[in-house]
Amino acid sequence: MNQKSIAERLFNSVNIGLLLLISALMLFPFLYLFSVSFSSYEDFLGSRLLLWPSNWTTDAYEYIWSSRTFRQALWTTSLVTVLGTLVNLFFTSTMAYALSRPIIGQRSVMFMVVFSLLFSAGMIPTYLVVQATGLLDSIWSLILPVAIAPFNLIVIRQFFLNIPGEMIEAGIVDGANDLQIFYKIILPLSKPALAAFSLFYAVTHWNNYFAPILYINDSSKWTIQVVLRQIVVVGETTGTLGGDNMFAAQPPPPETIQMAAILMATLPILIVYPFLQKHFAKGVMLGAVKG
Amino acid sequence: METLVQGTEPGKKPTATKASRGKRIRARMWKDRYLYLLLLPGLLYFIVYRYVPMLGITIAFKDYSPFMGIVDSPWTGLDNFRRIFESSEVVQVIWNTLIISFLQIIFAFPAPIILAIMLNEVANPLLKRVMQSVVYMPHFLSWVVVVGIVTIFFRNEGLVNDLLREAFGAQQTIGFLTEPQYFRPFLILEVIWKEAGWGTIIFLAALSGVNPALYEAAVMDGASRFRQIWHITLPAIRSTIIIMLIIRLGDVLEVGFEQVFLQLNAFNMHIGNTLDTYVYFKGIQQSDYSFSTAVGVFKGLVGLILVMGANKLSKRFGEQGVY
């Protein structure tokens, strides 16, 4: 009996130890970026494994903020994220509701939706349509071609289907038409679910790198991910941020700029993460119920 | 899903004449006019951005030139598709895609299962929840951020090489980002780092349905923790594992454009160029629209066949099927 409890305890400690190690692997990069980005270059060179800044400096952040390119990219990306999410919500919820009611043609449209999950025309034909609809080099090319994620549509429709039919009937008895029922009964009931999907859509917009490099050539409309790649992955730190920079002093070293840039571009995600987290298990599970 | 797509229309009266039936349909559609109004924006979206491009696939059978337009460009039949298999370049790209994909299935697919089992063994609910929050987080980071972090840590003057030099006395820097042999391992490790935590959700959900009495009975019988995992935990998620594996196999040609594209360079192009990145280089950068569309169609069709096959397979396993 005693032996078993030793084995038990050993199992638990090893398991929790490993899990703590895994968690540390996910958090450590951020701690390191945080420390270096707020440290002076001398401290960074002195001890490469910086875990906390000793001489705090915000030079890297000020330098980045002084760059018009970076601010513009933040602004463009914020605009795309807000507009894009609104478009997503409008297109997805209206269509999902219509498809949750037994209208004629519903099955054909559902087939269209499901089939688009299984087969897509591919990058080039889609590009040609985006071009033909005049969206190239416009922020709408980052919004309209992804107005609906078919999977989200299916899950939200499933959510609408699960709303008791009596709610709708009550609306009909009160003389409401379908638009009023959708707006006054269905939407208020679905607020938590729609909030969850807005967050998911918003994160997707913020993180999108593929669409901007495909559709946007004009560097004044670059999104934050494109600029970030230029700074960090390509390593053109001052080349990207220096041209229109109003920073008064000598630019800080590229290392600290790169780390500060990553944190600035990730900050919005980290801010919404607690809210996301509250919802996403639910969202994913809604999808799993569909089977 | 299935029943919605295949079910029969209720309330169909076979005796009704054509004229009166048409009238009834029109009346019903008029009654539902506001619902059609709600349907319209989404339907337009699907037509314009999902189905018109499918018509655009015709350029795969043509020698498309932007000046002549899709309609006037000359037909070439299956020439573009023949070129796919005649070009050793594309065959190489298909191989690259398959190798990366299978490495991911072997190494990255089991990661969330193992992590979910480990999390499931944590007795303290608070600790478990905190660790879940931490491991889910990387899923929400962009690929640019993940690749950026990897670049900062693993470049020649990065922290990892520094530590190797100072703490372990390594004589030379290791070119993690430039030497091709590190390319594939890094792709796999990044996917594990970013997605393993998120992937646990579906397995943890399956595990939350397990009756705790099973574990209590196993403890009574003197089963060790490993035996409990083997005989109770694993069987509880077996069908989820099978379904997820089948879905993954159906996506074998999908290796993620952004992750690969961000890390391609002259050194690893020969092993790193995958179908998606190849189509981008050929089609967008070199404007070889017809050929790159043919490559895309090839990928799409193989994907479609694989997904449908995978769905059949999952039904054969007595599971629901994915769609």
Side-chain angles (χ1 to χ4, degrees):
Chain A
M1 201 60 205
N2 207 12
Q3 230 176 352
K4 195 180 289 163
S5 73
I6 290 172
E8 268 300 273
R9 252 185 291 171
L10 187 68
F11 179 96
N12 279 335
S13 341
V14 170
N15 186 43
I16 289 178
L18 283 174
L19 282 169
L20 287 175
L21 187 73
I22 293 169
S23 308
L25 275 177
M26 310 210 157
L27 291 180
F28 175 71
F30 290 95
L31 176 66
Y32 179 73
L33 298 192
F34 178 84
S35 311
V36 174
S37 65
F38 280 110
S39 290
S40 71
Y41 197 47
E42 290 70 36
D43 287 355
F44 169 63
L45 287 181
S47 146
R48 300 302 298 273
L49 184 55
L50 268 181
L51 295 181
W52 199 250
S54 48
N55 296 308
W56 288 77
T57 166
T58 51
D59 275 4
Y61 291 91
E62 281 170 39
Y63 177 78
I64 293 172
W65 194 248
S66 314
S67 155
R68 222 169 69 90
T69 307
F70 197 89
R71 279 189 320 233
Q72 198 162 36
L74 273 182
W75 165 246
T76 307
T77 315
S78 310
L79 195 65
V80 168
T81 301
V82 171
L83 284 176
T85 306
L86 289 175
V87 167
N88 289 142
L89 263 191
F90 174 74
F91 278 68
T92 313
S93 63
T94 50
M95 189 181 195
Y97 179 63
L99 288 174
S100 75
R101 300 284 302 274
I103 54 175
I104 292 167
Q106 182 247 57
R107 278 176 297 127
S108 321
V109 180
M110 272 314 287
F111 180 79
M112 261 179 90
V113 172
V114 174
F115 185 74
S116 75
L117 270 178
L118 305 179
F119 181 79
S120 89
M123 189 188 305
I124 306 300
T126 310
Y127 175 87
L128 293 176
V129 170
V130 172
Q131 190 179 39
T133 45
L135 300 187
L136 282 192
D137 263 339
S138 142
I139 61 163
W140 292 101
S141 68
L142 311 179
I143 295 172
L144 292 179
V146 289
I148 298 178
F151 181 77
N152 290 357
L153 175 74
I154 291 169
V155 177
I156 295 175
R157 170 180 176 269
Q158 197 59 43
F159 181 88
F160 288 152
L161 279 173
N162 289 338
I163 293 177
E166 292 89 50
M167 308 294 284
I168 296 170
E169 274 156 36
I172 295 173
V173 170
D174 287 347
N177 67 33
D178 284 311
L179 286 181
Q180 290 162 332
I181 290 173
F182 175 66
Y183 190 71
K184 290 194 175 139
I185 299 176
I186 302 296
L187 283 187
L189 279 174
S190 325
K191 255 187 211 152
L194 294 177
F197 279 98
S198 322
L199 286 173
F200 273 102
Y201 271 129
V203 170
T204 312
H205 282 296
W206 186 267
N207 284 343
N208 197 349
Y209 172 70
F210 174 66
I213 60 157
L214 196 56
Y215 302 131
I216 306 282
N217 266 324
D218 182 353
S219 62
S220 72
K221 287 178 189 134
W222 272 0
T223 63
I224 191 68
Q225 303 295 335
V226 178
V227 171
L228 193 62
R229 176 202 178 241
Q230 213 54 32
I231 299 173
V232 183
V233 183
V234 181
E236 285 180 1
T237 308
T238 39
T240 309
L241 301 177
D244 46 20
N245 206 308
M246 306 301 279
F247 192 71
Q250 178 83 1
E255 285 89 346
T256 58
I257 296 175
Q258 290 170 342
M259 299 188 201
I262 288 188
L263 289 183
M264 282 173 88
T266 314
L267 193 64
I269 303 282
L270 297 180
I271 290 173
V272 298
Y273 182 63
F275 301 96
L276 263 172
Q277 216 210 355
K278 216 174 72 188
H279 289 299
F280 60 51
K282 238 182 294 169
V284 168
M285 274 7 283
L286 274 169
V289 169
K290 180 205 72 125
Chain B
M1 288 314 315
E2 187 80 338
T3 50
L4 290 163
V5 177
Q6 288 179 357
T8 50
E9 184 88 26
K12 207 188 266 178
K13 281 189 197 131
T15 47
T17 63
K18 251 190 186 157
S20 75
R21 201 175 147 225
K23 220 180 196 174
R24 266 193 305 112
I25 288 176
R26 266 202 301 278
R28 216 180 117 190
M29 287 179 81
W30 177 248
K31 185 175 73 68
D32 288 338
R33 62 192 176 278
Y34 290 119
L35 290 175
Y36 288 107
L37 193 65
L38 288 172
L39 182 69
L40 193 65
L43 186 62
L44 276 176
Y45 163 73
F46 271 93
I47 291 171
V48 174
Y49 287 109
R50 300 262 174 183
Y51 282 84
V52 170
M54 289 193 201
L55 297 178
I57 283 175
T58 45
I59 69 170
F61 304 92
K62 290 188 163 205
D63 182 14
Y64 172 72
S65 129
F67 306 105
M68 284 190 271
I70 295 180
V71 181
D72 292 330
S73 296
W75 291 95
T76 55
L78 291 172
D79 277 4
N80 288 316
F81 291 91
R82 221 168 283 137
R83 257 176 79 196
I84 293 180
F85 295 100
E86 281 166 3
S87 136
S88 60
E89 200 182 31
V90 187
V91 174
Q92 182 66 49
V93 163
I94 294 173
W95 266 121
N96 291 344
T97 312
L98 288 175
I99 291 171
I100 292 171
S101 206
F102 277 110
L103 286 173
Q104 280 182 2
I105 290 171
I106 294 168
F107 295 104
F109 180 80
I113 302 171
I114 297 167
L115 191 54
I117 292 172
M118 289 171 73
L119 284 167
N120 191 52
E121 294 295 323
V122 176
N124 182 336
L126 180 69
L127 187 62
K128 184 178 167 188
R129 227 175 320 133
V130 170
M131 287 197 286
Q132 277 178 289
S133 307
V134 172
V135 298
Y136 292 163
M137 184 268 302
H139 171 76
F140 295 97
L141 303 176
S142 73
W143 271 116
V144 178
V145 165
V146 175
V147 173
I149 290 175
V150 167
T151 307
I152 284 175
F153 274 80
F154 288 94
R155 59 188 166 194
N156 289 350
E157 56 282 9
L159 183 66
V160 173
N161 265 316
D162 264 358
L163 290 182
L164 285 178
R165 261 195 307 266
E166 276 163 39
F168 300 98
Q171 296 300 312
Q172 283 168 323
T173 40
I174 303 176
F176 291 110
L177 306 177
T178 45
E179 284 173 39
Q181 76 258 33
Y182 294 111
F183 178 72
R184 286 174 184 145
F186 267 84
L187 285 187
I188 310 301
L189 288 173
E190 287 158 12
V191 167
I192 293 176
W193 188 82
K194 189 172 188 291
E195 304 296 343
W198 181 249
T200 60
I201 289 183
I202 193 144
F203 298 108
L204 286 173
L207 284 174
S208 68
V210 178
N211 185 350
L214 288 175
Y215 290 106
E216 284 157 25
V219 172
M220 292 294 221
D221 291 345
S224 72
R225 294 285 283 274
F226 285 107
R227 290 192 76 88
Q228 291 174 33
I229 291 173
W230 185 255
H231 290 290
I232 302 170
T233 311
L234 273 175
I237 53 175
R238 200 194 58 174
S239 64
T240 312
I241 294 175
I242 292 173
I243 292 245
M244 297 308 281
L245 184 61
I246 287 170
I247 295 176
R248 185 63 192 81
L249 287 172
D251 271 347
V252 79
L253 293 183
E254 294 291 340
V255 287
F257 174 88
E258 292 187 359
Q259 187 199 3
V260 174
F261 181 81
L262 284 163
Q263 289 170 97
L264 273 180
N265 55 41
F267 306 108
N268 56 32
M269 192 58 95
H270 60 289
I271 55 167
N273 205 0
T274 55
L275 278 167
D276 284 336
T277 50
Y278 182 77
V279 169
Y280 177 82
F281 292 133
K282 271 279 168 200
I284 305 296
Q285 293 192 342
Q286 298 172 26
S287 301
D288 193 347
Y289 293 116
S290 285
F291 180 57
S292 52
T293 301
V295 176
V297 169
F298 166 78
K299 180 189 164 230
L301 283 180
V302 173
L304 179 65
I305 292 166
L306 286 174
V307 173
M308 291 193 349
N311 199 52
K312 267 228 168 78
L313 208 67
S314 102
K315 281 181 180 155
R316 184 160 299 168
F317 273 98
E319 304 295 347
Q320 268 188 326
V322 184
Y323 59 89

